[in-house]
Amino acid sequence: MARSWLSISPGSPFSLANIPFGIISTQANPLHRPAIAIGDLALDLDKFASNGGFSELPSISQHLAVFSEPTLNDFAALGRNIHHDVRTYIQQILQEDGKYPAVLKDNPQLRDQALLPLPSVQNHLPLKVGDYTDFYVGLNHAYNVGVLFRGPDNALQPNYKHLPIIENPTATPKVPILRPSRKLDIELELAAFVCKPNELGDPIRIDRADEHIFGFVLMNDWSARDVQYWEYVPLGPFTSKNFGTTISPWVVLTDALEPFRTRSRVEDSQHRDGVLPYLREKRADTAYDIRFQVAIQPAGLGADGREIFCTGNARDLLFSFPQLVTHHTVTGCNLNTGDLLASGTISGVKLGTFGSFLEATKNGKEPLALKNGETRTFLQDGDGIIITGAAGNEGHYVGFGECAGVILPVVTYE
């Protein structure tokens, strides 16, 4: 495996095998601009590009302005071939025996200006998000929640394994009360950014759907379960979901995850035989072997107070992201650069692998004991949630960094 001339910790999620893209600013330069993460450094692509860093890559020479933009949308819109060229070129520059290490390694002035310590940079939303669709293709989560509300015999709706769906109504509404949520929850998800748009009325074929995916981020779909319970019927969740969504700041390109393709571990004959022809993929390795951890950090405790709430794996998704793209556009819906498609909650089959408190505590009936002596049925003010994920092995991790957020008290409500 290739090594970098930079010193990179074996445990870093940003190995030479990764090269994730994000948007940064610094105290010295508050302008938002693209960067990549490598080890404990960020390579400022604006500074790098404007000082001849891409001089050995002709395919990007007419597009250098994308590295001065405040979002990654214009870079994403260049397409998968350009993404591949840029990522591979940067790897060759940072590789110990790469083709172009002199571009940066032997240029101390550029190195000092463009390589920034990660703690010194501020991350920002990597792309301007247009539309956002949250699917519901975590089979175990759908089953677990279905059992809670409908029992094991009716846990999954009849259409669930035939096509990727959005969330379904599950409860009968009662008279609402306006107050802070008492069942604030998380949802462990993986999400993909769209790079290549399609025209209105022009569905994306399954064998071309990969071309429309820029890269992936971790996602926490914060959920107010008590509000969700009431507003589910007849149209599904609305205000119970739209108050906040957290994603990781670095976008892992699709190419970086190619070595970790594998089979979904939740598919069965009913799913394979029931999928309509427009969703059928030629390859069997349609999932990614990405391992997740969700940690909770109770109020008043530092990083030493974190404890693992659950672990998970992207192999527990029933449908692939190309299938999500294709199904989204089957009626002619047009996707645009920056649209975000999320998987829905990713869960396993036992306690410790459930990607929400709703499942882990059986809707609050079985509180979880924390190491500090407290218990949780759902989140409390001051609690922090930190989601991490990575594919690969030590020294060669392809990871996302932290998808983190803290619950603040309600200031006012009327």
Side-chain angles (χ1 to χ4, degrees):
M1 183 67 72
R3 295 180 178 274
S4 175
W5 49 266
L6 291 169
S7 177
I8 301 175
S9 167
S12 172
F14 308 131
S15 72
L16 189 63
N18 194 351
I19 315 296
F21 288 71
I23 294 294
I24 66 164
S25 67
T26 58
Q27 188 171 8
N29 182 0
L31 293 178
H32 295 193
R33 69 269 192 194
I36 64 101
I38 180 71
D40 58 0
L41 300 169
L43 176 63
D44 183 335
L45 294 179
D46 181 28
K47 183 67 69 174
F48 183 72
S50 62
N51 286 275
F54 287 104
S55 58
E56 302 292 336
L57 184 63
S59 64
I60 197 65
S61 61
Q62 302 300 313
H63 308 289
L64 293 181
V66 301
F67 299 120
S68 300
E69 294 293 324
T71 70
L72 292 172
N73 291 63
D74 286 352
F75 174 61
L78 294 177
R80 286 283 302 276
N81 289 339
I82 295 295
H83 308 157
H84 171 82
D85 288 351
V86 171
R87 175 175 172 271
T88 302
Y89 177 76
I90 292 174
Q91 286 177 316
Q92 290 297 323
I93 283 175
L94 298 174
Q95 190 173 318
E96 192 172 55
D97 56 351
K99 293 182 180 179
Y100 313 114
V103 171
L104 192 61
K105 182 181 180 181
D106 297 340
N107 188 339
Q109 183 176 0
L110 179 58
R111 195 172 64 238
D112 291 343
Q113 292 178 343
L115 284 173
L116 309 171
L118 276 180
S120 73
V121 307
Q122 174 69 46
N123 287 103
H124 304 280
L125 191 66
L127 284 88
K128 182 180 180 181
V129 179
D131 291 322
Y132 158 53
T133 303
D134 192 15
F135 285 86
Y136 195 53
V137 299
L139 173 62
N140 296 322
H141 172 74
Y143 177 80
N144 295 337
V145 173
V147 169
L148 286 175
F149 290 109
R150 294 186 296 274
D153 293 337
N154 299 298
L156 296 178
Q157 300 289 0
N159 67 341
Y160 185 80
K161 292 187 177 182
H162 295 279
L163 46 82
I165 61 173
I166 315 300
E167 298 191 35
N168 292 329
T170 61
T172 302
K174 298 181 179 180
V175 176
I177 300 172
L178 182 62
R179 67 186 179 196
S181 173
R182 297 181 179 180
K183 291 187 174 183
L184 190 59
D185 200 358
I186 65 164
E187 290 190 347
L188 164 63
E189 303 197 26
L190 185 67
F193 277 108
V194 171
C195 58
K196 182 180 178 181
N198 63 302
E199 295 293 332
L200 180 65
D202 184 17
I204 298 171
R205 300 199 317 266
I206 190 65
D207 59 345
R208 306 299 296 269
D210 255 338
E211 300 172 11
H212 295 260
I213 299 175
F214 174 52
F216 295 85
V217 290
L218 305 177
M219 197 181 96
N220 183 355
D221 180 22
W222 304 95
S223 301
R225 299 299 186 189
D226 39 6
V227 180
Q228 183 178 0
Y229 181 87
W230 180 78
E231 69 181 7
Y232 241 134
V233 179
L235 295 178
F238 178 37
T239 59
S240 59
K241 298 276 191 173
N242 71 357
F243 60 91
T245 301
T246 303
I247 63 172
S248 51
W250 299 101
V251 182
V252 175
L253 297 191
T254 306
D255 279 359
L257 291 174
E258 281 298 310
F260 310 106
R261 280 186 173 272
T262 185
R263 295 184 70 108
S264 167
R265 60 186 179 191
V266 294
E267 66 176 11
D268 56 22
S269 59
Q270 179 189 355
H271 169 62
R272 289 192 299 273
D273 297 341
V275 169
L276 294 176
Y278 76 94
L279 287 173
R280 292 176 185 167
E281 298 179 85
K282 293 180 180 179
R283 61 190 307 167
D285 54 345
T286 59
Y288 294 113
D289 186 11
I290 304 171
R291 303 175 299 277
F292 306 111
Q293 283 191 342
V294 181
I296 181 172
Q297 184 172 309
L301 301 181
D304 292 340
R306 292 183 185 180
E307 62 179 278
I308 302 301
F309 164 70
C310 76
T311 60
N313 196 296
R315 294 183 66 190
D316 285 327
L317 295 175
L318 184 62
F319 289 90
S320 71
F321 278 89
Q323 286 175 317
L324 304 190
V325 169
T326 293
H327 183 62
H328 201 305
T329 65
V330 68
T331 55
C333 174
N334 59 311
L335 297 176
N336 294 294
T337 303
D339 286 352
L340 188 64
L341 307 182
S343 64
T345 308
I346 302 171
S347 291
V349 296
K350 61 182 180 180
L351 188 64
T353 66
F354 298 150
S356 70
F357 281 83
L358 176 67
E359 298 163 83
T361 68
K362 295 187 178 178
N363 198 19
K365 294 178 182 178
E366 298 182 5
L368 294 178
L370 302 181
K371 294 179 180 178
N372 67 346
E374 299 178 16
T375 61
R376 289 292 185 276
T377 53
F378 291 93
L379 295 175
Q380 298 180 7
D381 288 350
D383 285 343
I385 292 292
I386 305 95
I387 301 175
T388 55
N393 301 310
E394 188 175 68
H396 312 287
Y397 286 127
V398 174
F400 301 81
E402 293 186 348
C403 173
V406 177
I407 303 304
L408 300 178
V410 172
V411 179
T412 60
Y413 66 100
E414 296 179 358

